[in-house]
Every structure is written in structure tokens, then in C-alpha cells.
Amino acid sequence: MKCACILAAGTGSRLKKYTQDRTKCMVEVNGDKLIDYTIRSLQAGGVETIFIVVGYRGEDLVQHVKQVFPDLDIRFIENPIFASTNNIYSLKLAIPVLGDYEEVVLVESDLWIERSVAVDFLRDTRENIVLVSPFRYWMDGTCVTVGADKQEISGFVAKADVHLYPIDQLFKTVNWYKFSGKFLRDIYSHFINAYVDAFGKNAYYEDVLKVIAPVTPGLFVSYVIDERHWAEIDDEEDLSRAELIATSSGDAARNLVQRFGGFWKYRFVDDLTLLVNPFFPTQGMMNELCNELGGALREYPSKLSVISRIVAKSLPCESEQIVVGNGASEIMLALFDELKDRQFIIAPPFFLEYQRLIGGRLSVYEREFPATSLETALDGMVNESAADIILVNPNNPTGELCKSGKLLEVLPKLAKQGRKLIVDESFVDFSSVNATLLTEAIVNEHKNLLIIKSFGKSFGVPGVRLGVLVSADLQLIEKVRSRLPIWNVSSSAEVFLDLLPRYKKEYQRALASLRREREYFESQLEEMDVRYFASQGNFVFFQLPEKPNRGFEEYCYKKGLLVKKIVGRAGLSGTYYRIAVRMREQNLRVTDAIREYLVEGIA
């Protein structure tokens, strides 16, 4: 006979508002209460009798379970002192009734585990199985170490000792266990009782497993699952993650994209939505950065004016012409706040952050891509408007380029009209044509020229958050700088800027590698007869034929690729995809996915 014991007595205080009026297992994940989902998973795996240890809001939990599962054999055990005890005491209360069963499944109530995975685990015929997952730094709780075959568990590691082990040697306990009745009766129960007597009721049952494992080699075995199939829900961010992985592939892809970053935490998917330079920094530069990171984290960065001098070593302009921001977005916010009395115009499609920051002062020029070129649109904005012009060059998301000669042609005209030209050159380094206006001569000659540049995109370090504004309008530069904090750039960013001049040649080689990969990617699209548009950015821009009931985003997500479609944007008719260019292996995965999608799609 098989039974399960669900530990559900805790208060779940870290979930704050979500558990003010309910116990943690009554929290919903995508409309399904955790307790309901868990019970149905146990039932699907052949468990007929379930014990639930209740405490906080226990009456509500009991009433709910009886109402939803009136025909199941579910029994309740009360932990009356749940507020001052931990899970070891809840298990101690349950042990007297659990020992009568041949097999006992021990489950904590704050977990979402994909049902098919849970069922497979429950059907595993081995004894004393621990459900585990490769450890990630953001996980919290007990871990295990395993043998070379990743099956036999060699030891349990308390969360306080995790830092003592190489991360690749650790597996996080998922807090589903399947114990034999014999082990529970003859070994575990005695250790539990002795441990409580010796150390008190405010401990964890994993502490006892940590004691047992070394003296009984081979007693515990692991069942390994990866992070896409489970979530432990201790706080609001955990709940968000659970809702992400519990939803359908199409919805999961769209929901993950809306996080706008942090994608390195999700190893089961490669992000192709955010744009960086995959070839820079080089490994040598990364090693130097890491060597200095410890000191940098413990020290304040230099003040903003000093950072401007450091940046000037890598740019062809004077330090007083530079404002450094915590990313280009901080620069944009300060700049448009300072220019609060001016109007702006931009050609679509464009980076939507401009619309968010400028609001009603931003007009959108009427043009349809690709019928009207970016240069033609620029002429229209010069001749048909009195507003300052914003130009993202190359354009994001189309990859179009407006040549520098054209920009130099319009700058004097705009100056005579008292108008500014704001050029966002965040992608210009990736262009195969030299189109930058960021030269000493051009900057000094055109006081109405403002250049914005994101270092994260071109130099491949979005995590250090670096962006610059460059202009010969020193009065404006000083006013924008005065809007920023004295310490707006991190010490780690300062270290990167200190090292950057030494790696100029490596950076140029990285840009050349990126251009080759972009050309290769576009050649693959051409072979597949996919309609693409030649890009000068670190991305490709294309369309795919519409297919009823066939979603390319979902198709890619199932293959571990995160992409997003661009639809409903000003200047674009139809559905487009902007996909980041990465290294060859990732680019091949994408082109293979496109090829397969065009042939098969999703039924």
C-alpha cells in the first residue's frame, strides 16, 4: 500500500499578501490551487491515501479539501504549535500513522511540479528516492551531492554550506521524497525522534537525512528533473516563475519576453530577443573583470565627472562633451526631461522607449516600411516639421541605415531652423558601412547634434548598464549631467571602462565576426526564400508566411529558443520577427527551426 504525506502547516510569511488570509498551498498558480494540483498529481501516480499536516489557516484548508475531493481517502493531522515549529515537527506528528504503509511519499505543499514528471517519479520502482534538480544560485534550501552516475546520493548539504561546494556538484532537493515503509519505521522515525529531543522542534527533516546519508552509503537515490518542470514557491517572484513554467508554450514565451531581461536564469531557453554582442568581451577581458570584481563590489565608484574622463579614452571626443548614464535609458530620461519644452518627431518603426519617455511631445512621421526608406523619411521630417528629429541609426527593429553623408547634409538645415538632430547610434558599430557621426570633427562642427550610444549592445555588457550622450553643446551637456546622481555608474562598470582601451583590436575582430554571422544568417533566410530585409544591426529582420493555428514563437520555445514577433507597430503592416545574431551554433538552431517550421509548423 502507498500513501502520501503533505506538509502544509507553515504560515508562508514570505509570500506576504498572498498568504494573509490563506495557507501557502491555497495560493493559485494559473488559476489552480497548489493543493488541488498536488493531490491530483498524487492521485494520477497511484496514491490512494493522503495525510495532510495542517496548521496555519488549517480549518479553511480542511474544508476546501473535503469539498473538492469528497471521494478521496484524505486524512488530516493538526500541528497546533505550527507558529513555533518547523517541518521536522510536522513530520514527527505524522510518522506514527505513516509507518503502516509499504511506501510513503513525502511532499511539501509549496511546490508546483509538472504532473507528468510527478507521475513518472511516483512510478519509479526504486526505494528511497529523492526528487532533485541541478542547483542554480538563486535556489534556496537543502541540496544533495551525487555519484558519477547521478543516481546514488552521497550526502545532503544544508543551505548554509552550499557555498563550500562547486555549483556543478550540487542538486537542489525538490522536496518530493519516496521512502520505503521499512526505512521510515526502522531508521528515519528513530532519528527524527532523537533529533527533536536533542535539538528541539524548530528544525528541518532534511537535517536528519544529512546525518543518515554518510553512515548508510547507497541508501538514497536521486530522480533528476530540470528546472523547467518545477518551482518552489516561497515568495512573489517564485510564484511568478511558477506561473511562467506552468502555462502553455506560447503563453510562456510571451510572458517570459515581458520580463525584459534576467533570461540567464532560465537555462532551458536561449534568448534571441535582446540585442548584444556575443563576441565581446573576450575571455581574456572577462578574466580581468572577474579578478577585479571582488574589490569593485566593496568600493564606491568614482563620481560622474571622473567616469566621463575614463569614457573619453575610448571615444573621439572630450570628456566635457560626454554624459555617462546607467544605460542609455537613464541618459534618455535625463535628456528629455531637460528638453521638456521642445517637441520631437521620429520615423516609425522605432524603439518604443522613446514614446514612453517623451509621451505627447513625440510625433510619429507617417511612413510605411519598406516602401519609404529611412533617408526619404528623414527628408520628410526635415521639410514637413518644426520639431527636433530623433533617428535610431541603424534603425531598431528594421536594421535600415541612413548614411552619414545624408545626416551631414541635413544638420546645417536644422541648425538654421533652431532644431536638433538626436542620433541613437547604439547599433552603428555593427554596420558594414562607416556611418557614425561620433568623430571629433563632426561633433565639434555641429552643436545641434546629440549622439546617444548604448555600450551594452555594442560592447556586449548590458549587465553593467552603460550609455553615453555626446554633444558639443556644453551647456546642455552640463544641464543633463546635473540631473544625474553623483554615483550613477557602478564600480564594475568603471572597471570595464578602465579595461576597454586595451581591447580595441579584439573589439574590432568581434565586430567583424558579428557581421559574418549576420551575413550567414541572412544567406540562410535567402536559401529558404524567406522575405528578409538587409540589416546593419546585430540582428536580422524578416517575415514568415502566416499559418493558421501555427505559432512560430511557441514552436521556437519548445525547441529552447525565445523569440518574439513584432506586430501592430506604427510603420509596419503584417507580422515581422527581429532575431538577435549570436554565435554560429545558436544561429544554426534558429535557421533550422525556421526551416522545420516552414515545412511542418504546429498541427
Side-chain angles (χ1 to χ4, degrees):
M1 295 175 58
K2 180 189 298 184
C3 78
C5 177
I6 303 174
L7 303 181
T11 60
S13 58
R14 282 185 284 173
L15 274 166
K16 299 176 182 177
K17 63 183 179 182
Y18 295 97
T19 52
Q20 286 179 352
D21 61 351
R22 73 197 74 182
T23 188
K24 189 162 27 172
C25 64
M26 292 283 279
V27 171
E28 293 184 352
V29 173
N30 290 347
D32 205 357
K33 287 182 172 56
L34 278 174
I35 189 65
D36 297 352
Y37 191 85
T38 299
I39 290 173
R40 291 193 177 102
S41 296
L42 292 169
Q43 186 182 19
V47 176
E48 297 178 352
T49 301
I50 299 174
F51 295 91
I52 304 178
V53 182
V54 300
Y56 174 68
R57 310 291 296 195
E59 291 183 3
D60 295 339
L61 177 57
V62 171
Q63 182 180 358
H64 170 78
V65 171
K66 286 182 176 179
Q67 182 178 353
V68 177
F69 302 99
D71 300 324
L72 294 186
D73 182 11
I74 300 178
R75 310 171 195 180
F76 300 93
I77 301 167
E78 183 183 4
N79 179 354
I81 53 173
F82 63 87
S84 60
T85 60
N86 234 312
N87 62 21
I88 193 170
Y89 187 68
S90 288
L91 180 56
K92 174 181 169 64
L93 294 175
I95 278 180
V97 295
L98 301 179
D100 295 334
Y101 293 83
E102 295 176 3
E103 191 172 76
V104 177
V105 181
L106 179 62
V107 175
E108 293 195 26
S109 65
D110 58 355
L111 296 158
W112 185 93
I113 299 175
E114 187 177 309
R115 181 158 296 145
S116 61
V117 172
V119 170
D120 288 345
F121 169 77
L122 292 169
R123 290 176 178 170
D124 192 309
T125 58
R126 295 175 297 167
E127 291 187 346
N128 303 320
I129 313 175
V130 183
L131 191 63
V132 300
S133 184
F135 177 72
R136 302 293 310 283
Y137 76 94
W138 44 263
M139 294 176 178
D140 184 38
T142 302
C143 292
V144 300
T145 54
V146 299
D149 60 357
K150 292 187 178 180
Q151 291 194 37
E152 182 179 314
I153 291 176
S154 53
F156 286 77
V157 180
K159 64 179 181 181
D161 297 328
V162 163
H163 68 284
L164 301 174
Y165 294 78
I167 194 170
D168 58 355
Q169 292 183 10
L170 295 173
F171 289 79
K172 172 71 179 67
T173 54
V174 181
N175 297 330
W176 274 49
Y177 301 82
K178 190 165 61 166
F179 297 132
S180 70
K182 178 176 175 56
F183 164 72
L184 198 71
R185 289 187 303 271
D186 297 346
I187 301 176
Y188 201 21
S189 61
H190 300 298
F191 273 84
I192 289 282
N193 291 328
Y195 203 93
V196 170
D197 290 342
F199 299 103
K201 302 169 184 176
N202 194 20
Y204 299 93
Y205 62 78
E206 297 98 333
D207 296 337
V208 178
L209 298 175
K210 181 182 177 182
V211 173
I212 296 174
V215 297
T216 53
L219 179 62
F220 302 109
V221 294
S222 67
Y223 188 105
V224 181
I225 62 175
D226 70 45
E227 63 189 84
R228 79 180 72 186
H229 299 302
W230 72 283
E232 183 176 14
I233 305 170
D234 285 325
D235 52 43
E236 188 174 2
E237 173 58 15
D238 290 343
L239 180 58
S240 175
R241 180 182 177 84
E243 290 176 336
L244 171 71
I245 64 175
T247 193
S248 65
S249 296
D251 289 339
R254 286 184 286 274
N255 292 344
L256 187 54
V257 164
Q258 290 305 308
R259 298 177 78 93
F260 292 101
F263 298 137
W264 77 88
K265 300 177 185 178
Y266 301 88
R267 286 185 177 175
F268 54 83
V269 66
D270 280 344
D271 167 53
L272 300 167
T273 65
L274 298 179
L275 308 173
V276 297
N277 185 345
F279 297 96
F280 197 83
T282 63
Q283 188 59 54
M285 188 177 187
M286 288 292 290
N287 291 342
E288 288 202 71
L289 281 167
C290 291
N291 288 340
E292 296 300 323
L293 188 59
L297 288 175
R298 291 183 173 275
E299 300 287 347
Y300 277 88
S302 301
K303 66 179 182 179
L304 184 53
S305 58
V306 175
I307 300 296
S308 294
R309 293 200 298 268
I310 298 173
V311 170
K313 294 190 292 184
S314 298
L315 296 180
C317 54
E318 301 296 332
S319 61
E320 59 264 28
Q321 297 173 325
I322 301 170
V323 182
V324 185
N326 183 27
S329 55
E330 184 183 56
I331 291 289
M332 291 159 57
L333 177 62
L335 174 63
F336 295 124
D337 279 350
E338 179 59 39
L339 300 177
K340 57 182 177 297
D341 296 326
R342 301 184 71 92
Q343 300 291 314
F344 303 90
I345 188 169
I346 194 168
F350 55 88
F351 180 38
L352 294 179
E353 192 71 359
Y354 283 102
Q355 184 78 66
R356 189 183 74 84
L357 293 174
I358 303 174
R361 295 185 292 129
L362 181 66
S363 300
V364 179
Y365 182 75
E366 290 188 15
R367 82 124 176 181
E368 189 70 21
F369 173 84
T372 303
S373 72
L374 194 58
E375 293 192 353
T376 301
L378 178 61
D379 284 332
M381 291 189 289
V382 170
N383 298 322
E384 301 168 23
S385 172
D388 295 337
I389 296 173
I390 299 172
L391 188 76
V392 182
N393 193 43
N395 178 272
N396 176 18
T398 66
E400 301 166 273
L401 183 72
C402 191
K403 294 180 180 178
S404 58
K406 183 65 179 179
L407 298 174
L408 293 174
E409 176 187 311
V410 304
L411 272 167
K413 297 180 184 178
L414 294 174
K416 289 180 181 179
Q417 299 169 4
R419 299 166 65 188
K420 301 181 186 299
L421 176 62
I422 302 171
V423 182
D424 185 336
E425 289 196 354
S426 293
F427 301 97
V428 77
D429 290 5
F430 300 113
S431 173
S432 56
V433 178
N434 183 12
T436 183
L437 299 183
L438 188 46
T439 70
E440 183 179 5
I442 293 175
V443 169
N444 289 333
E445 184 178 351
H446 301 283
K447 197 173 180 179
N448 64 324
L449 171 64
L450 304 173
I451 299 174
I452 295 173
K453 187 176 180 66
S454 164
F455 276 32
K457 295 178 178 64
S458 55
F459 291 108
V461 287
V464 301
R465 308 301 304 134
L466 278 172
V468 296
L469 171 68
V470 177
S471 177
D473 187 344
L474 300 186
Q475 185 178 13
L476 176 60
I477 287 291
E478 185 55 39
K479 288 180 178 179
V480 173
R481 186 183 290 119
S482 69
R483 289 180 171 271
L484 299 174
I486 187 173
W487 296 298
N488 70 322
V489 170
S490 70
S491 298
S492 57
E494 184 173 349
V495 173
F496 172 79
L497 292 172
D498 282 328
L499 292 172
L500 189 56
R502 196 187 309 164
Y503 287 89
K504 287 182 179 179
K505 292 181 180 179
E506 289 84 351
Y507 179 58
Q508 292 303 319
R509 287 196 288 268
L511 294 176
S513 296
L514 189 286
R515 295 181 192 117
R516 284 194 297 271
E517 284 305 311
R518 183 182 64 213
E519 291 171 4
Y520 171 79
F521 202 131
E522 291 181 340
S523 72
Q524 294 297 296
L525 294 176
E526 189 167 2
E527 282 184 15
M528 291 181 276
D529 202 25
V530 170
R531 187 188 187 202
Y532 73 94
F533 305 89
S535 170
Q536 293 295 332
N538 56 341
F539 52 87
V540 292
F541 191 65
F542 60 92
Q543 286 184 296
L544 291 176
E546 299 285 349
K547 292 190 175 187
N549 303 318
R550 296 183 179 185
F552 184 60
E553 290 169 293
E554 181 176 1
Y555 190 80
C556 285
Y557 190 81
K558 289 181 176 179
K559 292 180 173 291
L561 302 169
L562 185 65
V563 305
K564 71 174 180 178
K565 62 185 176 184
I566 298 175
V567 64
R569 294 271 290 273
L572 296 176
S573 296
T575 300
Y576 293 80
Y577 292 91
R578 185 203 67 184
I579 292 184
V581 173
R582 299 284 197 248
M583 294 186 176
R584 180 62 57 93
E585 180 182 355
Q586 289 170 296
N587 296 335
L588 281 172
R589 289 181 63 201
V590 180
T591 54
D592 286 347
I594 295 171
R595 189 174 289 107
E596 293 165 8
Y597 173 78
L598 292 173
V599 174
E600 303 170 15
I602 299 175

